[in-house]
Amino acid sequence: MYKSIVVGTNGTDKDLAVVGHAAGLAKISGATLHIAHGFKPVTSIAAGIADSAPGAASIDFEALDEAIEAENETAIASARAIASEAGVSVTEHSLGGEPADVLMELARQLKADLIVVGNHGMHTKKRFFQGSVANRVVHHATCSVLVVDVETHG
């Protein structure tokens, strides 16, 4: 059925419910589960703007990098625990970029059969202004996509 499944997480309970669904699919199909955490990196352009603003406070980029790394590890560790409980083979990926783009690029590189995402219950105005990872992945992925209703299953 599936050989390679990509699922994203940010460590929230709703995302972990999505990981649980992906782990279940990986178990019944014998697939490798690729757990991805995409994050928006602080770019050198943003750093330059922040440092050049008059009266701007100094930014401790080392501390910021450490906080991002700790958040990544926490999100991945929580997802790893769920996959481990399901007894599936896991590969972990922590990648900088927009979450939807990270999931689609990883799936493309791995030639994944499926991407599993959650809908996060984002409706109307919020979805219009902020966009939706699930919506973007559904419309642009080069493989099958499963959208888990996290309001019902999360």
Side-chain angles (χ1 to χ4, degrees):
M1 182 190 236
Y2 300 115
K3 293 180 182 175
S4 179
I5 299 172
V6 172
V7 63
T9 186
N10 62 12
T12 64
D13 289 344
K14 289 182 179 185
D15 270 5
L16 294 176
V18 175
V19 171
H21 273 70
L25 284 172
K27 183 174 180 101
I28 62 173
S29 62
T32 297
L33 183 63
H34 296 272
I35 299 172
H37 180 254
F39 60 92
K40 297 178 186 175
V42 177
T43 66
S44 57
I45 294 170
I49 291 170
D51 283 344
S52 66
S58 169
I59 298 173
D60 184 349
F61 289 103
E62 187 174 323
L64 187 56
D65 285 343
E66 288 172 7
I68 290 170
E69 189 174 322
E71 179 184 319
N72 292 345
E73 180 51 38
T74 299
I76 294 288
S78 299
R80 182 187 322 117
I82 289 170
S84 178
E85 222 174 270
V88 298
S89 174
V90 174
T91 303
E92 302 164 6
H93 309 269
S94 185
L95 307 162
E98 291 292 329
D101 295 335
V102 164
L103 290 174
M104 291 185 294
E105 179 59 20
L106 181 61
R108 188 191 64 71
Q109 288 176 2
L110 298 169
K111 295 183 173 93
D113 305 300
L114 180 68
I115 300 173
V116 181
V117 293
N119 67 357
H120 292 88
M122 199 183 298
H123 302 289
T124 59
K125 291 180 189 174
K126 187 174 182 182
R127 178 175 285 166
F128 177 77
F129 288 110
Q130 293 183 347
S132 161
V133 171
N135 186 47
R136 184 163 167 76
V137 171
V138 164
H139 285 95
H140 300 285
T142 57
C143 64
S144 296
V145 178
L146 170 65
V147 180
V148 177
D149 180 0
V150 295
E151 295 303 313
T152 303
H153 300 99

